Amino acid sequence: SFNVLNYFTTIDDGKNKARGADSDSEVSRQEEKITAAIEGLQADVIGLMELENNIDAEQRLVAALNRKVGKNLYKGCGIPKGFDESPGGDDSIRVGIIYRADRVSPVGEVSILDDEAFSIARTPVVQTFVSTQGGRPFTVIVNHFKSKGGASNADTANKDKGDGQAAYNAARRAQSLAICDYIKQNHQDTEQSRVLVIGDLNAYQQEDPIDALRANGLIDLHEQIGQSTPTDSSDVDYTFVYYAQSGSLDHAFATKSLAEDVTGVSIWHINADEPRFLDWYDPSRVAPGPYRASDHDPVIISLKIK
C-alpha cells in the first residue's frame, strides 16, 4: 500500500490544476524515487494512491519500473469499466493497482466499489489475484478515503467536532461501512472471501472509521501481527508525520479467512521522517534512492501461499 503523492504526467502550469510536478525534469526525478521505492518493496501486488486520474500515469509508471528492473515484470490493472461515472471517479486523483506478472495473475477483470459514500472521496478499486505457484485466490480492495481538510466546505455532519478526528469524520466512517457492506454482499463463503483492504484511509488507529472496520468483523493486521499496540502509544508505528506528530493513516485489514494466512505486516520508513527539502522538487538537494519519494510510508503485508 503506497500513497505516491500526486504522481501526475500532466505538468502543472499554474492554470490547469495539475497537482504534481512543475516540469518534465521534476516528474522524472519523482519517477526515479517512486520506482526505487517500489523496486525496494519487492511486492507482488502494489495498491497505489494519488495517481493522476488518467491511464497515462499508470502506464508511464509501469514502463519506468520495467526499464529499471530490465525486464517486463510489472503490469497495471488499468481503469475499471464504469469508473468515470462512479461516485468519486471524477476526482483529480485516483487509486490503482500494479502487479508483478511473474508472481501473480489477475482473476477476472478489475472492478470498482460503486457507492455514494465515495462521492467526495476516491472510487475504490478491486482486483482478485492468484499466485503463479498456485494456491487460493485473494482479493485486494484499494482505498483513499476523504481527507481531513476543507472543513469550511463541510456540511453539518462533517464539520470538525473538536474531538481530534478533524473534518469529514462522518464521511470516512460511511466509507468504512460501505467497504464492509460490499464485502458482505460480494465476498462471503466464496473462494474470493479472502479479502485484503488497504490504503490511505485518512484516519488514525483509534478513530471512528477504523473502529467501524473492526466492529464489522475485519481484522486489523497491525494489531494482530504488526507492530502497532493501541494500548501503548509509545509502541504504535506510523506512516505519516504532521507538524511533528506521527500516526498511521495507511492501514491493512483482512477478512478472517485471509488474516489466518498473513505472516507479517511492516511499515518501511523511507518518507514520513524525511524533511521535505530532500524530495524531488529541488535537484540540488534531492536525496538519492527511495527516500522522500512521498509523504507517506508504504505498508507491506506478507501472505502465505496455500
Side-chain angles (χ1 to χ4, degrees), residues 1-4 49 143-144 197-205 210 220 222 237-240 247-253 265 267 272 294-299:
S1 177
F2 192 12
N3 181 320
V4 292
M49 294 105 247
N143 306 273
H144 189 185
V197 177
I198 59 174
D200 176 0
L201 305 188
N202 273 311
Y204 293 110
Q205 198 75 10
I210 308 305
D220 186 339
H222 283 291
D237 213 335
Y238 57 92
T239 66
F240 192 74
S248 287
L249 294 178
D250 306 85
H251 299 270
F253 280 79
V265 180
I267 297 167
S294 174
D295 54 348
H296 290 246
D297 290 325
V299 179

PDB file of all heavy atoms in Angstrom, residues 1-4 49 143-144 197-205 210 220 222 237-240 247-253 265 267 272 294-299:
ATOM      1  N   SER A   1       0.865  -1.182   0.000  1.00  0.00           N
ATOM      2  CA  SER A   1       0.000   0.000   0.000  1.00  0.00           C
ATOM      3  C   SER A   1       0.892   1.218   0.000  1.00  0.00           C
ATOM      4  O   SER A   1       1.721   1.388   0.899  1.00  0.00           O
ATOM      5  CB  SER A   1      -0.898  -0.014   1.240  1.00  0.00           C
ATOM      6  OG  SER A   1      -1.692   1.147   1.294  1.00  0.00           O
ATOM      7  N   PHE A   2       0.730   2.079  -1.034  1.00  0.00           N
ATOM      8  CA  PHE A   2       1.694   3.165  -1.198  1.00  0.00           C
ATOM      9  C   PHE A   2       1.010   4.396  -1.788  1.00  0.00           C
ATOM     10  O   PHE A   2       0.549   4.383  -2.925  1.00  0.00           O
ATOM     11  CB  PHE A   2       2.819   2.691  -2.117  1.00  0.00           C
ATOM     12  CG  PHE A   2       4.035   3.576  -2.173  1.00  0.00           C
ATOM     13  CD1 PHE A   2       4.238   4.605  -1.267  1.00  0.00           C
ATOM     14  CD2 PHE A   2       4.996   3.367  -3.143  1.00  0.00           C
ATOM     15  CE1 PHE A   2       5.367   5.413  -1.325  1.00  0.00           C
ATOM     16  CE2 PHE A   2       6.138   4.158  -3.218  1.00  0.00           C
ATOM     17  CZ  PHE A   2       6.324   5.176  -2.303  1.00  0.00           C
ATOM     18  N   ASN A   3       0.947   5.460  -0.988  1.00  0.00           N
ATOM     19  CA  ASN A   3       0.487   6.761  -1.471  1.00  0.00           C
ATOM     20  C   ASN A   3       1.684   7.454  -2.115  1.00  0.00           C
ATOM     21  O   ASN A   3       2.676   7.752  -1.446  1.00  0.00           O
ATOM     22  CB  ASN A   3      -0.050   7.595  -0.300  1.00  0.00           C
ATOM     23  CG  ASN A   3      -0.575   8.953  -0.726  1.00  0.00           C
ATOM     24  OD1 ASN A   3      -0.008   9.628  -1.574  1.00  0.00           O
ATOM     25  ND2 ASN A   3      -1.681   9.372  -0.123  1.00  0.00           N
ATOM     26  N   VAL A   4       1.598   7.715  -3.427  1.00  0.00           N
ATOM     27  CA  VAL A   4       2.754   8.219  -4.177  1.00  0.00           C
ATOM     28  C   VAL A   4       2.726   9.741  -4.382  1.00  0.00           C
ATOM     29  O   VAL A   4       3.462  10.267  -5.215  1.00  0.00           O
ATOM     30  CB  VAL A   4       2.899   7.495  -5.531  1.00  0.00           C
ATOM     31  CG1 VAL A   4       3.281   6.043  -5.310  1.00  0.00           C
ATOM     32  CG2 VAL A   4       1.623   7.594  -6.354  1.00  0.00           C
ATOM     33  N   MET A  49      -2.092   5.051  -4.286  1.00  0.00           N
ATOM     34  CA  MET A  49      -2.975   6.192  -4.111  1.00  0.00           C
ATOM     35  C   MET A  49      -2.309   7.431  -4.701  1.00  0.00           C
ATOM     36  O   MET A  49      -1.095   7.529  -4.728  1.00  0.00           O
ATOM     37  CB  MET A  49      -3.249   6.469  -2.626  1.00  0.00           C
ATOM     38  CG  MET A  49      -4.035   5.410  -1.882  1.00  0.00           C
ATOM     39  SD  MET A  49      -2.918   4.467  -0.824  1.00  0.00           S
ATOM     40  CE  MET A  49      -2.997   2.895  -1.657  1.00  0.00           C
ATOM     41  N   ASN A 143      -8.047   1.734  -1.398  1.00  0.00           N
ATOM     42  CA  ASN A 143      -8.889   2.854  -0.988  1.00  0.00           C
ATOM     43  C   ASN A 143      -8.084   4.122  -0.760  1.00  0.00           C
ATOM     44  O   ASN A 143      -6.899   4.082  -0.419  1.00  0.00           O
ATOM     45  CB  ASN A 143      -9.583   2.512   0.340  1.00  0.00           C
ATOM     46  CG  ASN A 143     -10.352   1.219   0.284  1.00  0.00           C
ATOM     47  OD1 ASN A 143     -11.506   1.209  -0.112  1.00  0.00           O
ATOM     48  ND2 ASN A 143      -9.721   0.119   0.675  1.00  0.00           N
ATOM     49  N   HIS A 144      -8.776   5.244  -0.917  1.00  0.00           N
ATOM     50  CA  HIS A 144      -8.242   6.534  -0.485  1.00  0.00           C
ATOM     51  C   HIS A 144      -9.428   7.363  -0.004  1.00  0.00           C
ATOM     52  O   HIS A 144     -10.124   8.002  -0.790  1.00  0.00           O
ATOM     53  CB  HIS A 144      -7.506   7.238  -1.628  1.00  0.00           C
ATOM     54  CG  HIS A 144      -6.759   8.457  -1.194  1.00  0.00           C
ATOM     55  ND1 HIS A 144      -6.122   9.287  -2.091  1.00  0.00           N
ATOM     56  CD2 HIS A 144      -6.543   8.998   0.044  1.00  0.00           C
ATOM     57  CE1 HIS A 144      -5.540  10.269  -1.439  1.00  0.00           C
ATOM     58  NE2 HIS A 144      -5.792  10.118  -0.142  1.00  0.00           N
ATOM     59  N   VAL A 197      -8.044  -5.294   2.610  1.00  0.00           N
ATOM     60  CA  VAL A 197      -8.461  -3.900   2.472  1.00  0.00           C
ATOM     61  C   VAL A 197      -7.270  -3.027   2.840  1.00  0.00           C
ATOM     62  O   VAL A 197      -6.804  -3.052   3.983  1.00  0.00           O
ATOM     63  CB  VAL A 197      -9.658  -3.582   3.385  1.00  0.00           C
ATOM     64  CG1 VAL A 197     -10.037  -2.106   3.289  1.00  0.00           C
ATOM     65  CG2 VAL A 197     -10.854  -4.465   3.024  1.00  0.00           C
ATOM     66  N   ILE A 198      -6.753  -2.263   1.864  1.00  0.00           N
ATOM     67  CA  ILE A 198      -5.568  -1.450   2.113  1.00  0.00           C
ATOM     68  C   ILE A 198      -5.799  -0.018   1.623  1.00  0.00           C
ATOM     69  O   ILE A 198      -6.735   0.247   0.877  1.00  0.00           O
ATOM     70  CB  ILE A 198      -4.308  -2.031   1.426  1.00  0.00           C
ATOM     71  CG1 ILE A 198      -4.513  -2.131  -0.099  1.00  0.00           C
ATOM     72  CG2 ILE A 198      -3.946  -3.377   2.012  1.00  0.00           C
ATOM     73  CD1 ILE A 198      -3.268  -2.566  -0.850  1.00  0.00           C
ATOM     74  N   GLY A 199      -4.916   0.875   2.051  1.00  0.00           N
ATOM     75  CA  GLY A 199      -4.958   2.224   1.504  1.00  0.00           C
ATOM     76  C   GLY A 199      -4.788   3.309   2.542  1.00  0.00           C
ATOM     77  O   GLY A 199      -4.654   3.061   3.755  1.00  0.00           O
ATOM     78  N   ASP A 200      -4.816   4.524   2.037  1.00  0.00           N
ATOM     79  CA  ASP A 200      -4.764   5.734   2.853  1.00  0.00           C
ATOM     80  C   ASP A 200      -6.194   6.054   3.265  1.00  0.00           C
ATOM     81  O   ASP A 200      -6.966   6.592   2.478  1.00  0.00           O
ATOM     82  CB  ASP A 200      -4.146   6.868   2.025  1.00  0.00           C
ATOM     83  CG  ASP A 200      -4.122   8.200   2.752  1.00  0.00           C
ATOM     84  OD1 ASP A 200      -4.576   8.260   3.911  1.00  0.00           O
ATOM     85  OD2 ASP A 200      -3.682   9.190   2.136  1.00  0.00           O
ATOM     86  N   LEU A 201      -6.527   5.720   4.502  1.00  0.00           N
ATOM     87  CA  LEU A 201      -7.890   5.913   4.990  1.00  0.00           C
ATOM     88  C   LEU A 201      -8.068   7.268   5.675  1.00  0.00           C
ATOM     89  O   LEU A 201      -9.171   7.575   6.141  1.00  0.00           O
ATOM     90  CB  LEU A 201      -8.283   4.780   5.944  1.00  0.00           C
ATOM     91  CG  LEU A 201      -8.124   3.359   5.374  1.00  0.00           C
ATOM     92  CD1 LEU A 201      -8.743   2.337   6.335  1.00  0.00           C
ATOM     93  CD2 LEU A 201      -8.725   3.221   3.984  1.00  0.00           C
ATOM     94  N   ASN A 202      -7.015   8.056   5.741  1.00  0.00           N
ATOM     95  CA  ASN A 202      -7.080   9.405   6.324  1.00  0.00           C
ATOM     96  C   ASN A 202      -7.706   9.413   7.712  1.00  0.00           C
ATOM     97  O   ASN A 202      -8.369  10.373   8.113  1.00  0.00           O
ATOM     98  CB  ASN A 202      -7.827  10.354   5.386  1.00  0.00           C
ATOM     99  CG  ASN A 202      -6.895  10.983   4.362  1.00  0.00           C
ATOM    100  OD1 ASN A 202      -5.838  11.503   4.716  1.00  0.00           O
ATOM    101  ND2 ASN A 202      -7.274  10.926   3.093  1.00  0.00           N
ATOM    102  N   ALA A 203      -7.486   8.332   8.435  1.00  0.00           N
ATOM    103  CA  ALA A 203      -7.973   8.224   9.815  1.00  0.00           C
ATOM    104  C   ALA A 203      -6.918   7.488  10.625  1.00  0.00           C
ATOM    105  O   ALA A 203      -6.302   6.543  10.133  1.00  0.00           O
ATOM    106  CB  ALA A 203      -9.303   7.470   9.871  1.00  0.00           C
ATOM    107  N   TYR A 204      -6.727   7.931  11.851  1.00  0.00           N
ATOM    108  CA  TYR A 204      -5.726   7.311  12.715  1.00  0.00           C
ATOM    109  C   TYR A 204      -6.297   6.070  13.410  1.00  0.00           C
ATOM    110  O   TYR A 204      -7.496   5.789  13.357  1.00  0.00           O
ATOM    111  CB  TYR A 204      -5.176   8.324  13.714  1.00  0.00           C
ATOM    112  CG  TYR A 204      -4.378   9.422  13.041  1.00  0.00           C
ATOM    113  CD1 TYR A 204      -4.872  10.727  12.972  1.00  0.00           C
ATOM    114  CD2 TYR A 204      -3.145   9.155  12.454  1.00  0.00           C
ATOM    115  CE1 TYR A 204      -4.139  11.734  12.354  1.00  0.00           C
ATOM    116  CE2 TYR A 204      -2.417  10.147  11.823  1.00  0.00           C
ATOM    117  CZ  TYR A 204      -2.915  11.439  11.769  1.00  0.00           C
ATOM    118  OH  TYR A 204      -2.203  12.429  11.139  1.00  0.00           O
ATOM    119  N   GLN A 205      -5.414   5.357  14.095  1.00  0.00           N
ATOM    120  CA  GLN A 205      -5.700   4.000  14.557  1.00  0.00           C
ATOM    121  C   GLN A 205      -6.937   3.890  15.452  1.00  0.00           C
ATOM    122  O   GLN A 205      -7.633   2.882  15.422  1.00  0.00           O
ATOM    123  CB  GLN A 205      -4.473   3.469  15.302  1.00  0.00           C
ATOM    124  CG  GLN A 205      -4.410   1.961  15.470  1.00  0.00           C
ATOM    125  CD  GLN A 205      -4.029   1.254  14.185  1.00  0.00           C
ATOM    126  OE1 GLN A 205      -3.634   1.884  13.208  1.00  0.00           O
ATOM    127  NE2 GLN A 205      -4.156  -0.056  14.182  1.00  0.00           N
ATOM    128  N   ILE A 210     -11.861   3.620  11.579  1.00  0.00           N
ATOM    129  CA  ILE A 210     -11.082   2.399  11.810  1.00  0.00           C
ATOM    130  C   ILE A 210     -11.829   1.478  12.769  1.00  0.00           C
ATOM    131  O   ILE A 210     -11.889   0.256  12.575  1.00  0.00           O
ATOM    132  CB  ILE A 210      -9.685   2.755  12.337  1.00  0.00           C
ATOM    133  CG1 ILE A 210      -9.014   3.790  11.431  1.00  0.00           C
ATOM    134  CG2 ILE A 210      -8.819   1.503  12.456  1.00  0.00           C
ATOM    135  CD1 ILE A 210      -8.933   3.395   9.968  1.00  0.00           C
ATOM    136  N   ASP A 220      -7.763  -6.031  11.971  1.00  0.00           N
ATOM    137  CA  ASP A 220      -6.732  -5.002  11.858  1.00  0.00           C
ATOM    138  C   ASP A 220      -5.382  -5.718  11.924  1.00  0.00           C
ATOM    139  O   ASP A 220      -4.960  -6.180  12.990  1.00  0.00           O
ATOM    140  CB  ASP A 220      -6.882  -3.993  12.996  1.00  0.00           C
ATOM    141  CG  ASP A 220      -5.943  -2.809  12.857  1.00  0.00           C
ATOM    142  OD1 ASP A 220      -4.929  -2.929  12.138  1.00  0.00           O
ATOM    143  OD2 ASP A 220      -6.215  -1.769  13.471  1.00  0.00           O
ATOM    144  N   HIS A 222      -2.377  -4.647  11.736  1.00  0.00           N
ATOM    145  CA  HIS A 222      -1.363  -4.030  12.585  1.00  0.00           C
ATOM    146  C   HIS A 222      -1.521  -4.484  14.035  1.00  0.00           C
ATOM    147  O   HIS A 222      -0.535  -4.638  14.759  1.00  0.00           O
ATOM    148  CB  HIS A 222      -1.457  -2.506  12.509  1.00  0.00           C
ATOM    149  CG  HIS A 222      -0.881  -1.945  11.256  1.00  0.00           C
ATOM    150  ND1 HIS A 222       0.467  -1.964  10.982  1.00  0.00           N
ATOM    151  CD2 HIS A 222      -1.462  -1.347  10.186  1.00  0.00           C
ATOM    152  CE1 HIS A 222       0.687  -1.407   9.804  1.00  0.00           C
ATOM    153  NE2 HIS A 222      -0.468  -1.020   9.305  1.00  0.00           N
ATOM    154  N   ASP A 237       3.254   2.125  15.647  1.00  0.00           N
ATOM    155  CA  ASP A 237       4.019   2.523  14.481  1.00  0.00           C
ATOM    156  C   ASP A 237       3.227   3.555  13.693  1.00  0.00           C
ATOM    157  O   ASP A 237       2.064   3.823  13.977  1.00  0.00           O
ATOM    158  CB  ASP A 237       4.347   1.301  13.627  1.00  0.00           C
ATOM    159  CG  ASP A 237       5.692   1.449  12.936  1.00  0.00           C
ATOM    160  OD1 ASP A 237       6.121   2.596  12.728  1.00  0.00           O
ATOM    161  OD2 ASP A 237       6.300   0.419  12.590  1.00  0.00           O
ATOM    162  N   TYR A 238       3.835   4.124  12.668  1.00  0.00           N
ATOM    163  CA  TYR A 238       3.233   5.263  12.000  1.00  0.00           C
ATOM    164  C   TYR A 238       3.618   5.255  10.529  1.00  0.00           C
ATOM    165  O   TYR A 238       4.607   4.652  10.120  1.00  0.00           O
ATOM    166  CB  TYR A 238       3.697   6.570  12.653  1.00  0.00           C
ATOM    167  CG  TYR A 238       5.209   6.728  12.664  1.00  0.00           C
ATOM    168  CD1 TYR A 238       5.871   7.392  11.632  1.00  0.00           C
ATOM    169  CD2 TYR A 238       5.971   6.174  13.690  1.00  0.00           C
ATOM    170  CE1 TYR A 238       7.254   7.510  11.632  1.00  0.00           C
ATOM    171  CE2 TYR A 238       7.352   6.289  13.692  1.00  0.00           C
ATOM    172  CZ  TYR A 238       7.989   6.953  12.660  1.00  0.00           C
ATOM    173  OH  TYR A 238       9.354   7.051  12.646  1.00  0.00           O
ATOM    174  N   THR A 239       2.801   5.938   9.729  1.00  0.00           N
ATOM    175  CA  THR A 239       3.086   6.077   8.300  1.00  0.00           C
ATOM    176  C   THR A 239       3.148   7.530   7.868  1.00  0.00           C
ATOM    177  O   THR A 239       3.460   7.818   6.713  1.00  0.00           O
ATOM    178  CB  THR A 239       1.998   5.387   7.454  1.00  0.00           C
ATOM    179  OG1 THR A 239       0.744   6.074   7.619  1.00  0.00           O
ATOM    180  CG2 THR A 239       1.837   3.923   7.832  1.00  0.00           C
ATOM    181  N   PHE A 240       2.853   8.456   8.790  1.00  0.00           N
ATOM    182  CA  PHE A 240       2.705   9.859   8.410  1.00  0.00           C
ATOM    183  C   PHE A 240       3.111  10.745   9.578  1.00  0.00           C
ATOM    184  O   PHE A 240       2.841  10.403  10.736  1.00  0.00           O
ATOM    185  CB  PHE A 240       1.250  10.137   8.027  1.00  0.00           C
ATOM    186  CG  PHE A 240       1.001  11.454   7.339  1.00  0.00           C
ATOM    187  CD1 PHE A 240       1.374  11.651   6.022  1.00  0.00           C
ATOM    188  CD2 PHE A 240       0.386  12.496   8.010  1.00  0.00           C
ATOM    189  CE1 PHE A 240       1.153  12.860   5.382  1.00  0.00           C
ATOM    190  CE2 PHE A 240       0.154  13.712   7.382  1.00  0.00           C
ATOM    191  CZ  PHE A 240       0.541  13.883   6.063  1.00  0.00           C
ATOM    192  N   GLY A 247       1.512   9.288  13.232  1.00  0.00           N
ATOM    193  CA  GLY A 247       0.400   8.355  13.356  1.00  0.00           C
ATOM    194  C   GLY A 247       0.223   7.581  12.067  1.00  0.00           C
ATOM    195  O   GLY A 247       0.867   7.873  11.052  1.00  0.00           O
ATOM    196  N   SER A 248      -0.647   6.590  12.083  1.00  0.00           N
ATOM    197  CA  SER A 248      -0.893   5.752  10.908  1.00  0.00           C
ATOM    198  C   SER A 248      -2.173   6.183  10.208  1.00  0.00           C
ATOM    199  O   SER A 248      -3.270   6.012  10.748  1.00  0.00           O
ATOM    200  CB  SER A 248      -0.995   4.274  11.299  1.00  0.00           C
ATOM    201  OG  SER A 248       0.269   3.755  11.620  1.00  0.00           O
ATOM    202  N   LEU A 249      -2.032   6.730   9.012  1.00  0.00           N
ATOM    203  CA  LEU A 249      -3.180   6.989   8.140  1.00  0.00           C
ATOM    204  C   LEU A 249      -3.372   5.847   7.153  1.00  0.00           C
ATOM    205  O   LEU A 249      -4.442   5.727   6.551  1.00  0.00           O
ATOM    206  CB  LEU A 249      -2.965   8.288   7.361  1.00  0.00           C
ATOM    207  CG  LEU A 249      -2.930   9.592   8.164  1.00  0.00           C
ATOM    208  CD1 LEU A 249      -2.665  10.769   7.228  1.00  0.00           C
ATOM    209  CD2 LEU A 249      -4.230   9.802   8.922  1.00  0.00           C
ATOM    210  N   ASP A 250      -2.349   5.022   6.988  1.00  0.00           N
ATOM    211  CA  ASP A 250      -2.355   3.947   5.987  1.00  0.00           C
ATOM    212  C   ASP A 250      -2.517   2.612   6.707  1.00  0.00           C
ATOM    213  O   ASP A 250      -1.752   2.297   7.628  1.00  0.00           O
ATOM    214  CB  ASP A 250      -1.049   3.986   5.195  1.00  0.00           C
ATOM    215  CG  ASP A 250      -0.802   5.362   4.599  1.00  0.00           C
ATOM    216  OD1 ASP A 250      -0.249   6.224   5.315  1.00  0.00           O
ATOM    217  OD2 ASP A 250      -1.184   5.575   3.444  1.00  0.00           O
ATOM    218  N   HIS A 251      -3.501   1.833   6.257  1.00  0.00           N
ATOM    219  CA  HIS A 251      -3.916   0.675   7.030  1.00  0.00           C
ATOM    220  C   HIS A 251      -3.983  -0.592   6.195  1.00  0.00           C
ATOM    221  O   HIS A 251      -3.995  -0.545   4.953  1.00  0.00           O
ATOM    222  CB  HIS A 251      -5.291   0.939   7.652  1.00  0.00           C
ATOM    223  CG  HIS A 251      -5.304   2.099   8.593  1.00  0.00           C
ATOM    224  ND1 HIS A 251      -5.055   1.982   9.944  1.00  0.00           N
ATOM    225  CD2 HIS A 251      -5.516   3.426   8.376  1.00  0.00           C
ATOM    226  CE1 HIS A 251      -5.127   3.171  10.520  1.00  0.00           C
ATOM    227  NE2 HIS A 251      -5.405   4.059   9.584  1.00  0.00           N
ATOM    228  N   ALA A 252      -4.042  -1.711   6.911  1.00  0.00           N
ATOM    229  CA  ALA A 252      -4.211  -3.020   6.277  1.00  0.00           C
ATOM    230  C   ALA A 252      -5.187  -3.837   7.119  1.00  0.00           C
ATOM    231  O   ALA A 252      -4.915  -4.118   8.296  1.00  0.00           O
ATOM    232  CB  ALA A 252      -2.875  -3.745   6.172  1.00  0.00           C
ATOM    233  N   PHE A 253      -6.316  -4.189   6.527  1.00  0.00           N
ATOM    234  CA  PHE A 253      -7.332  -5.022   7.162  1.00  0.00           C
ATOM    235  C   PHE A 253      -7.583  -6.248   6.292  1.00  0.00           C
ATOM    236  O   PHE A 253      -7.348  -6.212   5.076  1.00  0.00           O
ATOM    237  CB  PHE A 253      -8.647  -4.253   7.326  1.00  0.00           C
ATOM    238  CG  PHE A 253      -8.677  -3.328   8.511  1.00  0.00           C
ATOM    239  CD1 PHE A 253      -8.058  -2.092   8.446  1.00  0.00           C
ATOM    240  CD2 PHE A 253      -9.321  -3.689   9.676  1.00  0.00           C
ATOM    241  CE1 PHE A 253      -8.065  -1.236   9.532  1.00  0.00           C
ATOM    242  CE2 PHE A 253      -9.345  -2.839  10.776  1.00  0.00           C
ATOM    243  CZ  PHE A 253      -8.720  -1.605  10.703  1.00  0.00           C
ATOM    244  N   VAL A 265       3.318  -7.906   8.820  1.00  0.00           N
ATOM    245  CA  VAL A 265       2.925  -6.561   8.391  1.00  0.00           C
ATOM    246  C   VAL A 265       4.004  -5.612   8.882  1.00  0.00           C
ATOM    247  O   VAL A 265       4.405  -5.660  10.042  1.00  0.00           O
ATOM    248  CB  VAL A 265       1.563  -6.133   8.980  1.00  0.00           C
ATOM    249  CG1 VAL A 265       1.194  -4.729   8.512  1.00  0.00           C
ATOM    250  CG2 VAL A 265       0.476  -7.110   8.595  1.00  0.00           C
ATOM    251  N   ILE A 267       5.972  -1.470   8.191  1.00  0.00           N
ATOM    252  CA  ILE A 267       5.970  -0.146   7.573  1.00  0.00           C
ATOM    253  C   ILE A 267       7.415   0.202   7.240  1.00  0.00           C
ATOM    254  O   ILE A 267       8.304   0.110   8.103  1.00  0.00           O
ATOM    255  CB  ILE A 267       5.355   0.897   8.519  1.00  0.00           C
ATOM    256  CG1 ILE A 267       3.879   0.555   8.785  1.00  0.00           C
ATOM    257  CG2 ILE A 267       5.478   2.301   7.936  1.00  0.00           C
ATOM    258  CD1 ILE A 267       3.261   1.329   9.918  1.00  0.00           C
ATOM    259  N   ALA A 272       8.098   9.421   5.743  1.00  0.00           N
ATOM    260  CA  ALA A 272       7.447  10.289   6.734  1.00  0.00           C
ATOM    261  C   ALA A 272       8.442  11.047   7.603  1.00  0.00           C
ATOM    262  O   ALA A 272       8.189  12.194   7.997  1.00  0.00           O
ATOM    263  CB  ALA A 272       6.502   9.476   7.607  1.00  0.00           C
ATOM    264  N   SER A 294       7.638  10.235  -1.237  1.00  0.00           N
ATOM    265  CA  SER A 294       6.267  10.649  -0.936  1.00  0.00           C
ATOM    266  C   SER A 294       6.264  11.234   0.470  1.00  0.00           C
ATOM    267  O   SER A 294       7.318  11.375   1.097  1.00  0.00           O
ATOM    268  CB  SER A 294       5.338   9.434  -1.045  1.00  0.00           C
ATOM    269  OG  SER A 294       4.025   9.749  -0.637  1.00  0.00           O
ATOM    270  N   ASP A 295       5.081  11.547   0.984  1.00  0.00           N
ATOM    271  CA  ASP A 295       4.963  11.964   2.374  1.00  0.00           C
ATOM    272  C   ASP A 295       4.395  10.857   3.253  1.00  0.00           C
ATOM    273  O   ASP A 295       4.301  11.022   4.469  1.00  0.00           O
ATOM    274  CB  ASP A 295       4.121  13.239   2.504  1.00  0.00           C
ATOM    275  CG  ASP A 295       2.755  13.123   1.839  1.00  0.00           C
ATOM    276  OD1 ASP A 295       2.534  12.160   1.080  1.00  0.00           O
ATOM    277  OD2 ASP A 295       1.917  14.023   2.049  1.00  0.00           O
ATOM    278  N   HIS A 296       4.017   9.732   2.659  1.00  0.00           N
ATOM    279  CA  HIS A 296       3.520   8.569   3.391  1.00  0.00           C
ATOM    280  C   HIS A 296       4.520   7.420   3.272  1.00  0.00           C
ATOM    281  O   HIS A 296       5.102   7.207   2.199  1.00  0.00           O
ATOM    282  CB  HIS A 296       2.190   8.074   2.809  1.00  0.00           C
ATOM    283  CG  HIS A 296       1.028   8.973   3.054  1.00  0.00           C
ATOM    284  ND1 HIS A 296      -0.042   8.625   3.854  1.00  0.00           N
ATOM    285  CD2 HIS A 296       0.743  10.217   2.582  1.00  0.00           C
ATOM    286  CE1 HIS A 296      -0.932   9.600   3.866  1.00  0.00           C
ATOM    287  NE2 HIS A 296      -0.477  10.583   3.099  1.00  0.00           N
ATOM    288  N   ASP A 297       4.670   6.659   4.347  1.00  0.00           N
ATOM    289  CA  ASP A 297       5.458   5.436   4.281  1.00  0.00           C
ATOM    290  C   ASP A 297       4.604   4.291   3.741  1.00  0.00           C
ATOM    291  O   ASP A 297       3.416   4.176   4.082  1.00  0.00           O
ATOM    292  CB  ASP A 297       5.960   5.047   5.677  1.00  0.00           C
ATOM    293  CG  ASP A 297       7.025   5.992   6.199  1.00  0.00           C
ATOM    294  OD1 ASP A 297       7.830   6.477   5.387  1.00  0.00           O
ATOM    295  OD2 ASP A 297       7.050   6.231   7.425  1.00  0.00           O
ATOM    296  N   PRO A 298       5.192   3.432   2.904  1.00  0.00           N
ATOM    297  CA  PRO A 298       4.425   2.288   2.404  1.00  0.00           C
ATOM    298  C   PRO A 298       4.246   1.204   3.464  1.00  0.00           C
ATOM    299  O   PRO A 298       5.075   1.051   4.366  1.00  0.00           O
ATOM    300  CB  PRO A 298       5.281   1.777   1.242  1.00  0.00           C
ATOM    301  CG  PRO A 298       6.649   2.273   1.515  1.00  0.00           C
ATOM    302  CD  PRO A 298       6.514   3.544   2.289  1.00  0.00           C
ATOM    303  N   VAL A 299       3.141   0.465   3.348  1.00  0.00           N
ATOM    304  CA  VAL A 299       2.811  -0.644   4.242  1.00  0.00           C
ATOM    305  C   VAL A 299       2.989  -1.948   3.465  1.00  0.00           C
ATOM    306  O   VAL A 299       2.523  -2.072   2.328  1.00  0.00           O
ATOM    307  CB  VAL A 299       1.363  -0.535   4.763  1.00  0.00           C
ATOM    308  CG1 VAL A 299       1.020  -1.714   5.672  1.00  0.00           C
ATOM    309  CG2 VAL A 299       1.159   0.784   5.498  1.00  0.00           C
TER     310      VAL A 299
END
